Amino acid sequence: MTTKTNSTLTERQEQRRRRILQVSAHLANRGGFEAVHMREVAELSGVALGTLYRYFPSKVHLLVAIMQEQLQQMHERLRRRPPDAGDPAAAVAETLTRAFRGMQREPRLAEAMVRALTFADRSVSAEVDTVSRLTTAIVLDAMGLTGPPTAEQLSVVRVIEHTWHSTLIAWLSGRASIAQVTVDIETVCRLVTPSRPNP
Amino acid sequence: MTTKTNSTLTERQEQRRRRILQVSAHLANRGGFEAVHMREVAELSGVALGTLYRYFPSKVHLLVAIMQEQLQQMHERLRRRPPDAGDPAAAVAETLTRAFRGMQREPRLAEAMVRALTFADRSVSAEVDTVSRLTTAIVLDAMGLTGPPTAEQLSVVRVIEHTWHSTLIAWLSGRASIAQVTVDIETVCRLVTPSRPNP
DNA sequence: CCCCAGGTTGGAACACGTTTCAGATTCGGG
DNA sequence: CCCGAATCTGAAACGTGTTCCAACCTGGGG
């Protein structure tokens, strides 16, 4: 046996994958999480249902993969044009606020991705972890760290991420206003300023 | 017609409701969110499926109602025996850590409730709001506020709540350790200490 | 050129949340 | 005790995510 069980996808496979993601994002964009029907995704992607499930073992996997893509694009965008704020806290806040504005443009897509992310169970933990690492990288970038982050800083970033996801959920399900989201982001970002009075 | 369309439940109805919640909590406790099957809940509660849906319009409603109950109990418990920490931040942290220990005792039930809470869509927003208010009340209590909270304080409490839910999700789906959860709770609780150096 | 391992297809089937409905039961006022 | 309205029951049926499978296709090794 030669390299047949290769993790590299053939050209057609790569195209299939891309088409699936594209179609799914389109459906998510109109109608959100519940409007993404696996049968419809398969059909519009020109792929059998079984094949769809071979590429993405569940609807949640699929939507998390979309979020992964979006985050990668955003990461690049931010690298190209980083926030210009002065202190790290403001920079992180501006980064997240910018991301939030992006979501306001496509709220249903955002809802689909975030719902999938927080609804994901153990079987998706690897993919969710990837998303988490990407988000962490973005925030750390915004903080303009020099050298590896401390444990304290990692915890702070995690807290920021938690707040980010959860406040988005509240906003997307109509329980929080845009203003509230913005304020909460700024509030939590204050944590990055290491101004704790050590008694 | 006299007051028949009354929001007061009759005795039997109250019992039914209680029975349903009890059975659901039991099922959630073994197996978590996905192990709560509406048909089984109905059967074990001695109630027709249609009736179950009259009491709780969806599985998410049902599980959120359970969380509501648990929070009420916890609130009373905390009133009876408040945390003894010195400063507000430590008190909030201890309160949440105590709640976390409770969840470690019944992780699957916790998973069911928290998953339902974060997966809830607009149709459950009223109930989720109630849960949110309860949580807010608990945290504000722990802070030992004198007088009504400021907008700033409310935002802080919201951020704490966000972190609380989201870190729980991460723990329950195996992506965060107990230590991480604890550290993150303490980190976010530091926000309640208004020690920001105003430059 | 042939062959085979693995991928793809079409479609049926299953699981579970949710809806629906006609008939039986319960409730509270008269 | 009787009545009408609301509620409950039992069961079927629907929608959608997920699984399964037999037949077909593809791509690379011999």
Side-chain angles (χ1 to χ4, degrees):
Chain A
M1 166 196 96
T2 45
T3 49
K4 188 52 188 295
T5 307
N6 199 339
S7 71
T8 341
L9 298 183
T10 176
E11 181 56 27
R12 296 174 49 127
Q13 288 178 321
E14 195 55 54
Q15 285 182 357
R16 272 197 204 101
R17 202 190 121 91
R18 213 155 280 298
R19 201 125 43 93
I20 291 172
L21 286 174
Q22 193 176 320
V23 164
S24 306
H26 178 72
L27 291 181
N29 204 12
R30 4 165 79 275
F33 185 89
E34 62 170 15
V36 179
H37 297 173
M38 297 302 270
R39 282 179 245 261
E40 200 177 358
V41 170
E43 200 167 341
L44 293 182
S45 307
V47 137
L49 192 54
T51 307
L52 172 54
Y53 273 94
R54 168 174 282 270
Y55 280 76
F56 301 95
S58 81
K59 177 170 166 176
V60 169
H61 281 84
L62 175 54
L63 291 172
V64 169
I66 293 181
M67 164 147 266
Q68 216 171 302
E69 274 209 332
Q70 300 263 322
L71 277 180
Q72 258 147 5
Q73 291 173 17
M74 158 163 295
H75 199 178
E76 280 170 26
R77 240 177 290 135
L78 283 169
R79 276 193 187 288
R80 239 193 313 281
R81 206 162 56 84
D84 55 351
D87 63 306
V92 174
E94 188 188 321
T95 300
L96 295 185
T97 306
R98 205 190 278 181
F100 181 42
R101 272 194 294 272
M103 296 203 166
Q104 285 170 248
R105 249 173 271 126
E106 302 183 316
R108 294 179 198 284
L109 174 57
E111 188 252 17
M113 295 187 303
V114 180
R115 286 271 289 284
L117 199 67
T118 63
F119 191 59
D121 67 353
R122 296 185 123 77
S123 70
V124 208
S125 61
E127 288 79 0
V128 174
D129 246 31
T130 301
V131 166
S132 182
R133 266 197 304 280
L134 271 170
T135 311
T136 302
I138 289 177
V139 174
L140 286 177
D141 263 26
M143 288 173 62
L145 276 223
T146 74
T150 66
E152 161 74 15
Q153 283 170 326
L154 285 179
S155 173
V156 167
V157 172
R158 279 200 306 272
V159 168
I160 290 175
E161 263 184 71
H162 292 322
T163 301
W164 169 240
H165 287 152
S166 186
T167 197
L168 278 182
I169 286 282
W171 171 63
L172 291 165
S173 50
R175 299 192 319 277
S177 65
I178 292 182
Q180 256 180 15
V181 173
T182 310
V183 170
D184 290 356
I185 289 175
E186 279 160 7
T187 298
V188 76
C189 284
R190 221 174 289 140
L191 267 176
V192 309
T193 313
S195 63
R196 185 152 57 110
N198 265 352
Chain B
M1 165 193 99
T2 46
T3 48
K4 191 52 191 294
T5 307
N6 198 339
S7 71
T8 341
L9 298 184
T10 178
E11 182 56 27
R12 293 175 52 130
Q13 288 178 322
E14 196 53 56
Q15 286 182 356
R16 272 196 204 101
R17 203 189 121 90
R18 210 152 282 299
R19 195 91 195 280
I20 291 172
L21 286 173
Q22 192 177 320
V23 164
S24 305
H26 178 72
L27 290 181
N29 204 12
R30 359 165 84 273
F33 185 88
E34 62 168 16
V36 179
H37 296 175
M38 297 304 268
R39 281 181 244 262
E40 200 177 356
V41 170
E43 199 167 342
L44 294 182
S45 308
V47 138
L49 193 53
T51 306
L52 172 54
Y53 272 94
R54 168 176 283 268
Y55 281 75
F56 301 96
S58 81
K59 176 170 167 175
V60 169
H61 281 84
L62 175 54
L63 291 172
V64 169
I66 294 181
M67 164 148 267
Q68 216 170 302
E69 273 210 332
Q70 300 262 321
L71 277 180
Q72 258 147 5
Q73 291 174 18
M74 160 164 293
H75 199 176
E76 282 169 25
R77 239 177 290 135
L78 284 168
R79 276 194 188 287
R80 239 194 312 280
R81 208 160 56 83
D84 56 351
D87 64 308
V92 174
E94 188 187 321
T95 299
L96 294 184
T97 307
R98 206 190 278 181
F100 182 42
R101 271 194 295 271
M103 297 204 164
Q104 285 170 249
R105 248 172 272 127
E106 302 182 317
R108 294 180 198 284
L109 174 58
E111 187 254 16
M113 296 187 303
V114 180
R115 287 269 289 284
L117 200 66
T118 63
F119 190 59
D121 66 353
R122 295 183 125 76
S123 71
V124 208
S125 60
E127 288 79 359
V128 175
D129 246 31
T130 300
V131 166
S132 184
R133 267 198 303 280
L134 271 169
T135 312
T136 302
I138 289 177
V139 174
L140 286 177
D141 263 25
M143 287 172 64
L145 275 224
T146 76
T150 65
E152 161 74 16
Q153 283 170 327
L154 284 179
S155 173
V156 167
V157 172
R158 279 200 307 272
V159 168
I160 290 175
E161 264 183 72
H162 293 322
T163 302
W164 170 240
H165 288 151
S166 187
T167 196
L168 277 182
I169 285 281
W171 172 64
L172 291 165
S173 51
R175 300 193 318 278
S177 64
I178 292 182
Q180 255 180 14
V181 173
T182 309
V183 169
D184 289 357
I185 289 174
E186 281 160 7
T187 298
V188 76
C189 284
R190 223 174 287 140
L191 266 176
V192 309
T193 312
S195 63
R196 184 152 57 109
N198 265 354

